[in-house]
Amino acid sequence: TVFSQRTIIGNILPRIPGVSRGRHATWLEKHRLCNKNPSQPLFQITLLPRTSAVLSLVDAAAIKEVTTARARFPKPVEQYKVLSFFGDNIVASEGEDWKRYRKIAAPAFSDRNNKLIWDETIRIILDLFDNVWGSQESIVIDHALTITLPIALFVLGAAAFGRRISWKDDEGIPPNHQMSFKDAIHEVSMNCFIKVIFPDWAMGLTEHTRRVRLAFEELDSHMLEMISKRRNAEKKEERHDLLSSLLDATSNLIILSHICNCLLFQTTAHTLCFTFALLALYPDQQEILYQHIKSVLADGRLPTYEEMPLFTQSMAVFNETLRMFPPARSMSVNGIPKYSAEDTSLTVGNATGDKLVLPVPQGTAITINTVGLHYNPRYWKDPEEFRPSRFLEPDWPRDAFLPFSAGPRACIGRKFFETEGIAILTLLISRYKIEVKEEPQFAIETFEERKARVLASKPGLTITCASYMNVLITGTSLLALYVIHKYLELRRKIRSIQFLPGDRTLLARNSTIGVFLPSIPGVTKGRNAFWLEKHKPYDVVGWDATADINLMPQTKIVLTLVDAEAIKEVMTSRARFPKPINLYQPLSIFGDNIVASEGEVWKRYRKIAAPAFSERNNNLIWEESLRIALDLFDNVWGSENSIVIDHVPKLTVPFALFVLSSAAFGKRISWSDSDTIPSNHRMSFKSALHEVSLNCFTKILVPKWAMWINEHTRKVNLAFEELELYMLDMISEHRNAEKKEVRHDLFSNLLDASDDDPTFTDGDLISNIFIFLIAGHETTAHTLCYAFAFLALYPEQQELLFTQVKSILPDGTIPVSLSQQSMYHEMPLFTYTMAVINETLRMCPIVTGIPKYSAEDTTLTIGNISGDKLVLPMPRGTEIDINTMGLHYNPRYWQDPEEFRPARFLDPDWPRDAFVPFSAGKNTCIGRKFFETEGVAVISMLISRYKIEIKEEPQFSNETFEERTARVLASKVGLTTTPIRVPLVFKRR
């Protein structure tokens, strides 16, 4: 579907196939979806707010593994934060915090507290019978919740707070209060969902929300008074309510946060409501229960707490209700949420006994579908039937029953709930018979229709009796509230950055949808924004930074920087401004690597990889670049005086690929090589390398399951598989060679380095070599293309370059002796070639934006062309985009930045901090020298023999220089900046 059930929109929408499952989906579907596809686990895949997959489990063995393995499968604490009204608590915590809260809270749920619950429940029910219902023979209740909610509330007042409340109480409002304790606890418990959904700023919008807000404030005040009174009492009274028990164990704040979770008392109220409904619908089961109660209480006396274990039929009825209407649906609306904290696996089964071992990558969201589990026919015969006797069997399927979760995380208040429920059910059934109210409009309905009507439900914090109009009104209100919330959040964000101007758009530039859209004012800047705008937005703003604010998928600030000093601070302060790893995860096709890592993992990869980029490897790059260039000149272009190329990447892409194959993999490829496929392969190394390097974006964009969809994606998938096999073959050959050959390619160097580090696996080697392939190939190929284009557009600069190359090679010799010692040491002499490369990278940086984020609350100082300074607050989590394009065209650092002027890089004081085509600081590109060596060799060699011109085409005969420049340099932004069409002519000198 498009929308996740966990989103605000997904919760409001009804079921719309392909769009939203609807918030009722799990309740309505029960186990039916699993029946449709019994051989596979159920994955729920959604596109918004981000593409995600949720594994939905109804397999008891797999669920038991998940609920008992706390370290591997913790709960997603962020989903429970809405329950932290008064602070952190046992429900909204995990790990060491949860252990601490559990240790403090567990003793409070003691047997003495359970006895108090029983006694208070009996007292409250007798008060109902004697003083409310009195001598009436028949009591008609339009909605059973009107009786079960106050019962549960009154029990809670006594057993949780030590405050007895009766049906006839008319408690006044104490001094210093605006609401009585009874009214406050009633409002809070009834309107907890309002507090969850409405942000604090919106609680004053209506009379109803203001009353709810007041109730929470008043309950807080009442509880603090009770705490103070009991702590300061001269004589300690022995009491067994939860508040008193917690008082003996911990601080006021922890007491408030924990005791208030008891206010989610709807579990008891709703389960009692469903229990009464089921007994009314199934009178035979009600009669069985009545006879059982009478057998225990033959003399008509009141039941005691000590006799609770004797009421087995009452417990069976209660458990069967919980099976059919499980309250444990948590804040996910789907079931019990978990996630995988590590790469692991789960074994799932089906009704036929088949088993499937399912890989569960780190971070996978998991939902334990309690409704689906409780209606799973593998464990429950005729699961749609109300049959309490199934719980009287000694071997009933306990692992398939988890209305209160399971394992160490099972609900700490389960016994509280069961004690109250059994007491109420036993006492009520011993005196009253329950029937469904007869109403004329339903006189001819069938049993199934009556059952569906009476048991109609909706999911909230727990399963609740449904009202479609309420849902519609709530949904509309929430949608309106969401719009208001987004607007006010936008205003707060703008204030937090001191009203620094920038774009205000609906979608982020790098969001899933934003990357595919062109620039649409107010909607998205478009992925080409930095390339097209350069420094213009900062000229308008008047500062070398903008604060772009996006509303979806969540309201966030992205600070874009073109201030060299601020950028240097961000680049060099890795701890304060790390890179957002999640944005680089798509590059982890073969596993973790130096680009898609940070912190200690990055340091380990860098330490191993750095020696591989050695001077010996650079020497190899130089030699191979010239060998490939000579092969092109002699065996491809031959004696032709003019070579026309419609799009220069057709030349630079294979050139860069051949150099990479030799210098990175140690496999020489020439222009005339045949495409021979080895016996154990389905594609040649040359073809596999070519396909992978050209179609990496396809592999990143198309999910694995969709790679079979057409001939192109199948070929790309095959290329990736084949390249991995070739690399594994090379590893095996290297490791098993009797005599180690001295080689200086990256692959061999990394293999030698990995021998000294057992933690650097073959997978690490393959994933890092792959990332060097992708980064090195496109960077070189596209930069060479842009360099040739600039030299063709600026013939005077080409002539200056040719003059210097000839001054170094006056006799026309090449800067290498292929049969003797390499002349790589001459590379520093080609200063103008290096200046051409740098100027090309300045004007056409391969990466237009470098993402970072603030790991802590900090500040950054930005400036402008007038010399003014502005200290910007940087809240933790603020996203930063280093706009390389804007920095490279910033007139504060570059005079006439739109002009191609390589000589600026010959000035000893050129602004190095304003030049970041390879990033900067310790995270600077490890392959920079690789690229520069190849670039200098190729450009110098080609310019020494050929003159470059723009291909003349009739349709462009009248264009101006500016129009020609714009046409030839037109580009799009993908993994790197990519030229669209660069038609050139190479003429022999």
Side-chain angles (χ1 to χ4, degrees):
T1 58
V2 175
F3 293 104
S4 166
Q5 282 174 278
R6 303 181 184 192
T7 62
I8 292 177
I9 296 176
N11 260 280
I12 294 172
L13 291 175
R15 177 176 175 79
I16 305 172
V19 178
S20 172
R21 294 179 69 210
R23 69 183 304 199
H24 293 218
T26 306
W27 170 247
L28 295 174
E29 292 162 355
K30 297 181 173 66
H31 194 265
R32 285 189 284 275
L33 268 184
C34 301
N35 293 336
K36 287 181 182 178
N37 195 10
S39 63
Q40 295 291 331
L42 182 64
F43 269 101
Q44 299 165 3
I45 299 175
T46 56
L47 300 181
L48 292 174
R50 59 181 178 275
T51 304
S52 62
V54 180
L55 175 63
S56 180
L57 289 179
V58 296
D59 182 288
I63 288 171
K64 185 175 182 179
E65 183 176 353
V66 169
T67 55
T68 54
R70 283 161 42 193
R72 285 166 61 207
F73 302 105
K75 65 183 175 188
V77 175
E78 67 279 0
Q79 292 188 36
Y80 293 87
K81 286 300 181 186
V82 290
L83 296 179
S84 301
F85 308 124
F86 295 95
D88 290 337
N89 52 67
I90 195 169
V91 174
S93 61
E94 185 61 298
E96 294 304 315
D97 287 338
W98 178 86
K99 290 179 183 177
R100 182 166 64 90
Y101 292 145
R102 180 86 177 198
K103 182 179 179 181
I104 292 168
F109 290 87
S110 63
D111 202 53
R112 292 181 301 182
N113 180 253
N114 293 333
K115 187 177 188 312
L116 174 64
I117 295 164
W118 183 278
D119 292 343
E120 289 299 318
T121 302
I122 297 296
R123 179 188 64 79
I124 289 163
I125 296 299
L126 288 175
D127 186 26
L128 170 69
F129 295 166
D130 298 340
N131 299 316
V132 181
W133 291 355
S135 60
Q136 294 180 71
E137 292 294 320
S138 180
I139 298 94
V140 178
I141 299 173
D142 280 331
H143 190 4
L145 277 179
T146 60
I147 192 73
T148 60
L149 281 170
I151 290 173
L153 185 66
F154 297 169
V155 173
L156 193 71
F161 297 95
R163 291 282 292 265
R164 281 188 166 183
I165 307 172
S166 73
W167 296 90
K168 298 278 186 169
D169 271 352
D170 188 17
E171 186 181 20
I173 300 174
N176 303 321
H177 284 277
Q178 300 176 61
M179 189 179 285
S180 70
F181 176 76
K182 180 180 178 179
D183 288 342
I185 194 172
H186 177 75
E187 284 290 338
V188 166
S189 55
M190 290 293 291
N191 294 292
C192 188
F193 199 67
I194 297 292
K195 184 69 172 174
V196 169
I197 291 295
F198 280 60
D200 289 341
W201 59 265
M203 290 299 287
L205 288 177
T206 68
E207 185 178 348
H208 177 59
T209 55
R210 286 193 293 272
R211 182 171 174 80
V212 173
R213 180 176 63 186
L214 175 63
F216 271 86
E217 292 170 353
E218 283 294 297
L219 182 60
D220 186 20
S221 178
H222 279 293
M223 287 194 294
L224 287 172
E225 284 181 6
M226 285 188 276
I227 291 170
S228 176
K229 184 177 179 180
R230 295 185 198 182
R231 282 210 190 278
N232 300 324
E234 293 183 7
K235 185 178 179 181
K236 299 291 183 182
E237 181 183 351
E238 186 177 354
R239 307 174 66 146
H240 305 307
D241 58 88
L242 292 181
L243 180 61
S244 297
S245 300
L246 283 171
L247 265 170
D248 296 334
T250 188
S251 68
N252 293 3
L253 185 59
I254 293 177
I255 292 167
L256 286 177
S257 60
H258 281 78
I259 204 74
C260 281
N261 273 286
C262 297
L263 297 179
L264 300 179
F265 73 108
Q266 297 147 319
T267 298
T268 307
H270 295 163
T271 303
L272 282 171
C273 179
F274 286 122
T275 304
F276 296 159
L278 286 166
L279 290 172
L281 288 164
Y282 293 86
D284 54 331
Q285 295 295 340
Q286 185 176 172
E287 184 61 25
I288 292 171
L289 174 59
Y290 173 70
Q291 292 301 331
H292 173 76
I293 293 169
K294 294 301 289 182
S295 71
V296 178
L297 305 173
D299 55 358
R301 59 187 168 77
L302 294 175
T304 65
Y305 173 64
E306 289 72 22
E307 291 176 314
M308 179 178 165
L310 301 178
F311 296 104
T312 54
Q313 189 68 29
S314 297
M315 194 69 239
V317 167
F318 223 48
N319 280 345
E320 181 69 343
T321 304
L322 288 168
R323 181 190 68 80
M324 298 182 74
F325 297 88
R329 294 164 61 77
S330 188
M331 296 311 296
S332 67
V333 192
N334 297 314
I336 303 170
K338 300 280 186 177
Y339 72 94
S340 174
E342 58 186 55
D343 292 334
T344 184
S345 62
L346 280 174
T347 301
V348 296
N350 60 18
T352 58
D354 302 322
K355 297 290 182 183
L356 175 66
V357 179
L358 190 70
V360 182
Q362 183 179 10
T364 300
I366 300 170
T367 292
I368 297 171
N369 183 345
T370 50
V371 179
L373 176 66
H374 287 186
Y375 282 80
N376 191 335
R378 287 174 64 189
Y379 313 111
W380 309 99
K381 185 179 179 182
D382 302 323
E384 298 284 346
E385 287 189 18
F386 178 65
R387 189 185 299 170
S389 60
R390 66 177 95 232
F391 285 93
L392 298 177
E393 297 172 8
D395 56 350
W396 65 270
R398 287 166 174 79
D399 290 340
F401 181 67
L402 60 162
F404 301 97
S405 190
R409 290 290 189 274
C411 176
I412 196 172
R414 178 174 185 167
K415 188 69 173 177
F416 187 128
F417 165 79
E418 290 174 342
T419 302
E420 178 184 355
I422 298 304
I424 295 170
L425 184 61
T426 301
L427 192 54
L428 190 141
I429 293 297
S430 71
R431 300 198 181 189
Y432 291 87
K433 184 178 180 180
I434 309 173
E435 297 176 356
V436 175
K437 178 186 176 183
E438 296 296 338
E439 300 176 88
Q441 65 268 38
F442 304 119
I444 60 172
E445 68 184 348
T446 64
F447 173 75
E448 294 302 326
E449 290 171 339
R450 170 171 289 201
K451 180 181 173 182
R453 170 173 63 86
V454 172
L455 297 177
S457 307
K458 65 180 181 180
L461 289 178
T462 63
I463 299 179
T464 310
C465 291
S467 166
Y468 182 77
M469 185 55 67
N470 285 345
V471 173
L472 183 62
I473 292 170
T474 302
T476 305
S477 301
L478 287 177
L479 188 58
L481 189 64
Y482 178 73
V483 173
I484 298 169
H485 171 61
K486 282 293 181 184
Y487 172 75
L488 294 178
E489 193 174 23
L490 173 65
R491 297 298 303 169
R492 283 200 303 274
K493 294 284 186 184
I494 293 173
R495 282 198 302 271
S496 73
I497 45 150
Q498 298 182 4
F499 297 92
L500 182 69
D503 285 296
R504 314 294 185 238
T505 57
L506 182 66
L507 298 170
R509 186 176 63 93
N510 58 358
S511 66
T512 305
I513 299 176
V515 295
F516 293 104
L517 293 176
S519 177
I520 304 173
V523 178
T524 180
K525 292 179 68 176
R527 67 190 304 186
N528 285 12
F530 284 176
W531 171 263
L532 296 172
E533 295 170 349
K534 299 181 174 65
H535 193 266
K536 295 184 188 74
Y538 307 93
D539 293 333
V540 174
V541 168
W543 292 102
D544 278 345
T546 63
D548 295 345
I549 300 180
N550 320 120
L551 297 181
M552 294 183 66
Q554 58 195 22
T555 304
K556 65 177 181 180
I557 301 173
V558 180
L559 183 69
T560 73
L561 290 178
V562 295
D563 182 289
E565 290 181 14
I567 289 171
K568 185 177 182 179
E569 183 176 352
V570 169
M571 293 284 207
T572 54
S573 304
R574 281 167 43 198
R576 286 168 61 209
F577 302 105
K579 63 184 175 187
I581 298 300
N582 59 299
L583 295 182
Y584 293 87
Q585 285 306 307
L587 295 176
S588 300
I589 295 172
F590 290 104
D592 290 339
N593 53 67
I594 195 170
V595 171
S597 61
E598 187 62 298
E600 294 303 315
V601 177
W602 176 85
K603 288 178 184 177
R604 183 168 68 90
Y605 287 145
R606 182 84 179 198
K607 182 179 178 182
I608 293 170
F613 289 87
S614 62
E615 279 299 286
R616 291 181 300 181
N617 181 251
N618 293 334
N619 189 81
L620 174 63
I621 296 164
W622 183 272
E623 290 182 351
E624 289 301 311
S625 298
L626 295 177
R627 179 187 65 80
I628 292 162
L630 286 174
D631 185 29
L632 171 70
F633 299 160
D634 297 341
N635 300 316
V636 181
W637 291 356
S639 58
E640 292 183 58
N641 289 322
S642 182
I643 299 94
V644 179
I645 301 177
D646 280 332
H647 188 25
V648 170
K650 292 179 181 178
L651 168 67
T652 60
V653 165
F655 201 113
L657 193 66
F658 296 169
V659 174
L660 198 66
S661 176
S662 182
F665 295 97
K667 285 183 172 287
R668 281 189 165 184
I669 304 175
S670 72
W671 296 90
S672 56
D673 274 352
S674 60
D675 215 18
T676 306
I677 301 175
S679 57
N680 61 334
H681 286 274
R682 292 180 288 167
M683 186 180 283
S684 70
F685 178 77
K686 179 180 178 179
S687 296
L689 196 63
H690 179 73
E691 283 292 334
V692 166
S693 58
L694 283 182
N695 296 295
C696 182
F697 200 68
T698 298
K699 182 70 173 175
I700 290 172
L701 194 61
V702 180
K704 190 174 182 179
W705 57 267
M707 288 300 287
W708 57 270
I709 207 161
N710 60 40
E711 186 177 350
H712 171 67
T713 55
R714 288 194 292 272
K715 187 174 182 180
V716 173
N717 197 53
L718 176 62
F720 272 86
E721 292 173 355
E722 285 293 297
L723 182 61
E724 183 175 18
L725 284 176
Y726 277 113
M727 289 193 283
L728 288 171
D729 289 346
M730 290 158 62
I731 291 171
S732 178
E733 288 173 14
H734 178 90
R735 295 236 163 97
N736 299 324
E738 293 182 6
K739 185 179 180 181
K740 299 291 184 183
E741 182 182 352
V742 178
R743 300 171 63 163
H744 305 307
D745 58 89
L746 289 181
F747 201 87
S748 299
N749 289 349
L750 280 173
L751 267 171
D752 292 338
S754 66
D755 290 340
D756 300 327
D757 185 348
T759 65
F760 193 76
T761 64
D762 291 349
D764 290 330
L765 174 63
I766 290 173
S767 61
N768 279 282
I769 278 290
F770 166 75
I771 211 69
F772 297 148
L773 162 67
I774 297 305
H777 177 249
E778 283 203 355
T779 300
T780 306
H782 294 163
T783 303
L784 285 174
C785 174
Y786 286 123
F788 294 156
F790 277 120
L791 292 171
L793 287 165
Y794 293 85
E796 71 284 0
Q797 296 295 340
Q798 184 177 171
E799 188 59 29
L800 289 172
L801 174 60
F802 173 70
T803 301
Q804 195 206 42
V805 170
K806 291 302 290 181
S807 71
I808 300 169
L809 308 170
D811 54 357
T813 58
I814 59 173
V816 66
S817 172
L818 294 177
S819 60
Q820 299 176 15
Q821 185 179 3
S822 170
M823 298 294 287
Y824 164 65
H825 67 272
E826 290 188 348
M827 177 180 163
L829 302 177
F830 294 92
T831 54
Y832 210 81
T833 307
M834 194 66 240
V836 167
I837 290 173
N838 282 343
E839 181 70 342
T840 301
L841 287 169
R842 181 188 70 79
M843 297 186 74
C844 301
I846 293 304
V847 177
T848 59
I850 303 169
K852 297 280 186 178
Y853 73 95
S854 173
E856 60 187 52
D857 292 334
T858 186
T859 60
L860 272 179
T861 302
I862 59 170
N864 59 20
I865 201 162
S866 304
D868 302 322
K869 296 292 182 184
L870 175 66
V871 178
L872 272 182
M874 297 283 291
R876 182 181 178 183
T878 301
E879 295 186 20
I880 300 170
D881 218 337
I882 295 170
N883 183 347
T884 52
M885 201 74 185
L887 176 66
H888 289 185
Y889 282 78
N890 191 335
R892 285 175 66 190
Y893 313 111
W894 310 98
Q895 187 179 0
D896 301 323
E898 298 284 345
E899 287 189 20
F900 180 69
R901 190 185 298 170
R904 67 176 92 235
F905 285 93
L906 300 178
D907 186 331
D909 295 324
W910 66 270
R912 288 166 175 79
D913 291 340
F915 183 66
V916 289
F918 300 96
S919 190
K922 293 184 179 180
N923 273 332
T924 190
C925 177
I926 198 172
R928 178 173 187 168
K929 188 69 173 178
F930 187 125
F931 161 78
E932 291 174 343
T933 302
E934 180 180 354
V936 170
V938 172
I939 293 173
S940 299
M941 190 67 179
L942 191 141
I943 289 298
S944 71
R945 300 198 177 192
Y946 293 88
K947 184 177 182 179
I948 311 172
E949 296 177 357
I950 303 294
K951 177 186 176 184
E952 296 295 338
E953 298 173 273
Q955 66 269 36
F956 304 119
S957 58
N958 295 322
E959 68 185 349
T960 64
F961 174 76
E962 287 74 20
E963 291 170 339
R964 171 172 288 202
T965 300
R967 170 173 64 88
V968 173
L969 297 178
S971 303
K972 61 183 179 181
V973 177
L975 279 180
T976 60
T977 308
T978 306
I980 293 173
R981 181 174 179 265
V982 182
L984 299 180
V985 180
F986 295 83
K987 294 184 177 180
R988 186 182 296 276
R989 291 187 184 273

